[in-house]
Amino acid sequence: MHKLLVLTKYPNEYRIWIEKANLPDLEFVSHPTANCEIAFGEPNRIRDALAALPNLKWAQSIWAGVEPLLDISMRQDYTLTNARGVFGGLMSEFVFGHLLFHEKKIGLHLQMQKEKRWDHADSGMLRGKTIGLLGVGSIGAHLAEMAKHFGMKVRGYTLGSETSKQVDQYYHGDQLLEFASGLDYLVSVLPRTKDTNKIVDENLLNALPPHAIFINVGRGNVVDESALMDSLNQKKIAAAVLDVFEKEPLPEDHPFWSTPNLQMTFHTAALSYPEDLAKVFIENYRLFVQGKPLIYQVDFEQGY
Amino acid sequence: MHKLLVLTKYPNEYRIWIEKANLPDLEFVSHPTANCEIAFGEPNRIRDALAALPNLKWAQSIWAGVEPLLDISMRQDYTLTNARGVFGGLMSEFVFGHLLFHEKKIGLHLQMQKEKRWDHADSGMLRGKTIGLLGVGSIGAHLAEMAKHFGMKVRGYTLGSETSKQVDQYYHGDQLLEFASGLDYLVSVLPRTKDTNKIVDENLLNALPPHAIFINVGRGNVVDESALMDSLNQKKIAAAVLDVFEKEPLPEDHPFWSTPNLQMTFHTAALSYPEDLAKVFIENYRLFVQGKPLIYQVDFEQGY
């Protein structure tokens, strides 16, 4: 029997979905034990349990980002897999919902309704616009596909990979400003790694046209927050939508709360569903018992 | 030479796109003349010019709806074509923008930001939801396709046609309440005809679940306005988004302005672009000069 420890805020929400799959040779344990081989849950809870799991062979994260487990001072003698394929659809709904909110001027129409003002307010459209994706992994690929459904042009900036066929043009390395030039929308889905710190800085923001909208649904470290504030205050870009921040929850005295044309959500762009994450575990467990390589493995060095 | 009269508010916006196509044997005229064969423009302006165009052979409407030309007391001795294939993308952006605005609780997040309240507000998603389309012509087919991209189930209610393959299940005739039962979203794209009056009435609204959202981007005659008001006031459905009304502009004393959970736009869901409409004309003109049947012909009897 393989002993599984579920480490999430509401472990039963996940356990019931895993139990339904009737997986072979699987036994749930409620607390860290020496002979527990598998952990499934939030990376920070797995980190806190690591010392009590000397025989851990595999940890399945329910998040895409696994920063809590990447510190080089920590054990990395087990297979770490993260959650993929789960967040793309949710992120697409968030990103295109917010882009359409801006283009269709939904806020303005609500205001006009309040004022009983019947008027042909000009609204824009996604069709024909150019979206730039900072990072094109499984989430970026989903965004690229949805952008094509809306008739948009898609650019992608990645370290080197060019996996999504929906991206019209890829950019790498020192092509960042070229990538940004002329974008209507810039969307970051980059993870927190040592290479992604403050990629969205003054130079990148200055390369965007003044009507551009920036959305960050990746990680907060990617943005130079004071440069973004300057850019919005000086109307160098039109708007920003941020779901992630350098410090979360965002401190109450942070100027972002009232920066003009900055709209925020609270790291809730893609709240996942236990059923979806249980599926990822189940798929990987079947590989695990057959001794096959797991999918969605994290490279501890790269960080994703 | 075929004489063409452009009858729109800003005729030059259309004329420049048509001129670019260098169509053979085409001559623009600025005013109705006895030998003018072709009219292109807004149906109400074409109606007003009909008497002065005794040799009219073909009228191309720049609208999808051609009600002003359907009155049986009027001439119907010419080929009438309407605008299709132009509005689907625009309507999709409007409909899914508003559905995502509701599901992603964008208004609530704006309010939370004002209150500096960091919280995991529950938001919903389109994936897995069921959308019901009242009318599945070219616009409905586009909505159906986009709904599938978002992972939704699609029902269609039509007179009899079942052209779009993206619709999972079709309903006709007396199956209207069956069609409505259990829908998450009901979207009407029906034109104004003698058969579509008040299809969205008390019975239909009562068949929807209380979390349902109704969107009307077709024509205002389709809705029993007082039944919709009752339904919203009594929270029998969750919300409505209306772009069209029985009387437009909506009278200032109409209770819709302040009906709870009713959001309105001002017949602006799909403001079209002259370039797109010129393309429709150009395509049809090429058929016209070859003596071939035109596309997008309106049946005066059916009304679309």
Side-chain angles (χ1 to χ4, degrees):
Chain A
M1 299 297 275
H2 302 293
K3 290 187 166 43
L4 165 65
L5 179 63
V6 179
L7 289 162
T8 62
K9 197 170 179 188
Y10 304 106
N12 288 328
E13 297 299 312
Y14 296 85
R15 181 168 170 165
I16 54 163
W17 291 109
I18 295 172
E19 282 177 339
K20 280 189 188 174
N22 286 316
L23 296 171
D25 303 322
L26 183 66
E27 186 188 330
F28 288 87
V29 293
S30 309
H31 300 281
T33 57
N35 58 358
C36 176
E37 288 176 315
I38 312 170
F40 169 64
E42 294 151 16
N44 50 347
R45 290 176 197 264
I46 295 172
R47 175 197 59 205
D48 296 345
L50 271 185
L53 300 168
N55 287 303
L56 183 71
K57 286 189 180 150
W58 164 39
Q60 172 68 55
S61 163
I62 63 167
W63 297 350
V66 289
E67 300 92 324
L69 294 165
L70 295 180
D71 192 298
I72 48 162
S73 69
M74 277 189 299
R75 274 175 57 193
Q76 301 184 340
D77 59 350
Y78 59 96
T79 299
L80 174 60
T81 55
N82 70 353
R84 292 181 216 177
V86 171
F87 300 101
L90 294 164
M91 287 293 191
S92 277
E93 293 197 16
F94 182 92
V95 166
F96 290 96
H98 278 86
L99 289 180
L100 286 166
F101 175 76
H102 283 272
E103 286 295 351
K104 300 294 142 189
K105 297 208 189 327
I106 293 179
L108 174 63
H109 281 96
L110 288 168
Q111 187 55 35
M112 290 168 74
Q113 179 175 354
K114 261 190 202 161
E115 297 166 8
K116 298 194 175 189
R117 184 153 56 93
W118 179 283
D119 200 358
H120 283 211
D122 244 8
S123 64
M125 60 175 183
L126 299 184
R127 193 184 71 185
K129 295 281 163 54
T130 302
I131 191 170
L133 303 170
L134 274 174
V136 188
S138 72
I139 293 170
H142 204 289
L143 293 175
E145 197 180 336
M146 190 57 78
K148 296 313 279 185
H149 292 323
F150 278 111
M152 298 165 70
K153 296 174 211 117
V154 183
R155 298 185 195 165
Y157 181 84
T158 67
L159 262 185
S161 71
E162 300 194 352
T163 45
S164 164
K165 297 263 182 296
Q166 309 290 333
V167 172
D168 299 309
Q169 194 165 1
Y170 278 100
Y171 299 79
H172 312 290
D174 62 4
Q175 298 175 307
L176 191 59
L177 298 187
E178 196 185 329
F179 158 79
S181 163
L183 286 182
D184 299 296
Y185 316 123
L186 172 66
V187 179
S188 174
V189 293
L190 289 172
R192 179 190 297 274
T193 73
K194 58 186 183 339
D195 297 321
T196 63
N197 271 323
K198 299 195 178 170
I199 282 192
V200 180
D201 62 3
E202 193 187 343
N203 286 333
L204 177 55
L205 291 165
N206 281 343
L208 295 171
H211 67 269
I213 298 173
F214 168 59
I215 299 186
N216 189 8
V217 287
R219 283 294 183 263
N221 72 299
V222 167
V223 175
D224 179 334
E225 298 193 337
S226 96
L228 178 59
M229 239 153 355
D230 286 349
S231 186
L232 287 165
N233 279 318
Q234 295 165 34
K235 304 198 169 165
K236 288 182 172 179
I237 66 170
V241 181
L242 305 180
D243 185 53
V244 286
F245 305 88
E246 187 60 58
K247 253 193 202 161
E248 297 176 12
L250 191 71
E252 225 179 289
D253 59 355
H254 197 292
F256 269 175
W257 287 107
S258 49
T259 298
N261 300 314
L262 186 155
Q263 201 174 335
M264 62 176 72
T265 53
F266 314 108
H267 206 141
T268 49
L271 287 181
S272 58
Y273 293 77
E275 182 179 2
D276 290 332
L277 294 159
K279 271 188 202 157
V280 172
F281 174 83
I282 291 161
E283 193 178 357
N284 251 339
Y285 181 81
R286 295 194 201 278
L287 297 170
F288 179 80
V289 291
Q290 295 174 63
K292 290 185 182 165
L294 305 189
I295 55 172
Y296 308 150
Q297 287 196 35
V298 172
D299 179 319
F300 282 100
E301 176 66 21
Q302 280 196 314
Y304 59 91
Chain B
M1 298 295 277
H2 302 294
K3 289 186 167 44
L4 165 65
L5 179 63
V6 179
L7 289 161
T8 62
K9 196 168 178 192
Y10 303 107
N12 287 329
E13 297 300 312
Y14 296 86
R15 180 167 172 166
I16 53 162
W17 291 109
I18 295 173
E19 283 179 338
K20 279 189 189 175
N22 285 317
L23 295 171
D25 302 322
L26 182 67
E27 183 187 331
F28 288 87
V29 293
S30 311
H31 301 283
T33 58
N35 57 359
C36 177
E37 289 176 314
I38 313 169
F40 170 64
E42 294 150 16
N44 51 348
R45 290 175 197 262
I46 295 172
R47 174 197 60 206
D48 295 345
L50 270 186
L53 300 169
N55 287 303
L56 183 70
K57 288 190 179 150
W58 164 39
Q60 171 68 55
S61 164
I62 63 167
W63 298 350
V66 289
E67 301 92 325
L69 295 166
L70 296 178
D71 193 297
I72 49 163
S73 69
M74 277 189 302
R75 276 176 56 193
Q76 301 185 339
D77 59 350
Y78 59 95
T79 300
L80 174 60
T81 55
N82 70 353
R84 291 181 218 174
V86 171
F87 301 101
L90 293 165
M91 287 293 191
S92 277
E93 294 197 16
F94 182 90
V95 166
F96 291 95
H98 279 85
L99 290 180
L100 286 166
F101 175 75
H102 283 272
E103 287 295 350
K104 299 294 140 189
K105 300 210 188 324
I106 293 179
L108 174 62
H109 281 95
L110 287 169
Q111 188 55 37
M112 290 168 74
Q113 179 176 353
K114 259 188 203 162
E115 297 167 7
K116 297 193 176 188
R117 186 154 55 95
W118 179 281
D119 201 359
H120 282 209
D122 245 8
S123 65
M125 59 175 184
L126 300 184
R127 193 184 70 186
K129 296 280 165 52
T130 302
I131 190 169
L133 302 170
L134 275 174
V136 189
S138 71
I139 293 170
H142 203 288
L143 293 175
E145 196 180 334
M146 190 58 78
K148 297 312 276 184
H149 292 323
F150 278 110
M152 298 167 70
K153 296 174 210 115
V154 183
R155 297 183 196 167
Y157 181 84
T158 67
L159 263 183
S161 70
E162 299 193 353
T163 44
S164 165
K165 298 263 182 295
Q166 309 290 333
V167 172
D168 298 308
Q169 195 165 1
Y170 278 100
Y171 299 79
H172 313 289
D174 62 4
Q175 298 175 306
L176 192 58
L177 299 187
E178 195 185 328
F179 157 79
S181 164
L183 286 183
D184 299 295
Y185 317 122
L186 172 66
V187 179
S188 173
V189 293
L190 289 172
R192 180 192 296 275
T193 74
K194 58 187 180 343
D195 298 320
T196 63
N197 271 323
K198 299 196 178 169
I199 281 191
V200 179
D201 63 3
E202 194 186 341
N203 287 332
L204 177 55
L205 291 166
N206 282 343
L208 295 171
H211 68 266
I213 297 172
F214 169 59
I215 299 186
N216 189 8
V217 287
R219 283 293 182 265
N221 71 300
V222 166
V223 175
D224 180 334
E225 297 193 340
S226 96
L228 178 59
M229 238 147 6
D230 287 349
S231 186
L232 286 166
N233 280 317
Q234 295 165 35
K235 303 196 171 168
K236 289 181 172 181
I237 66 169
V241 181
L242 305 179
D243 185 53
V244 288
F245 305 87
E246 188 61 59
K247 251 193 200 164
E248 298 177 12
L250 191 71
E252 223 179 291
D253 59 355
H254 197 293
F256 269 175
W257 286 107
S258 48
T259 298
N261 299 314
L262 187 157
Q263 201 175 333
M264 62 177 70
T265 52
F266 315 107
H267 206 140
T268 48
L271 288 181
S272 58
Y273 293 76
E275 181 179 1
D276 291 332
L277 295 158
K279 271 188 202 157
V280 172
F281 174 83
I282 290 162
E283 193 178 357
N284 250 340
Y285 181 80
R286 295 193 202 277
L287 298 169
F288 180 80
V289 290
Q290 294 174 64
K292 289 186 182 164
L294 305 190
I295 55 171
Y296 310 150
Q297 287 198 35
V298 172
D299 179 320
F300 282 100
E301 176 65 22
Q302 280 196 314
Y304 58 90

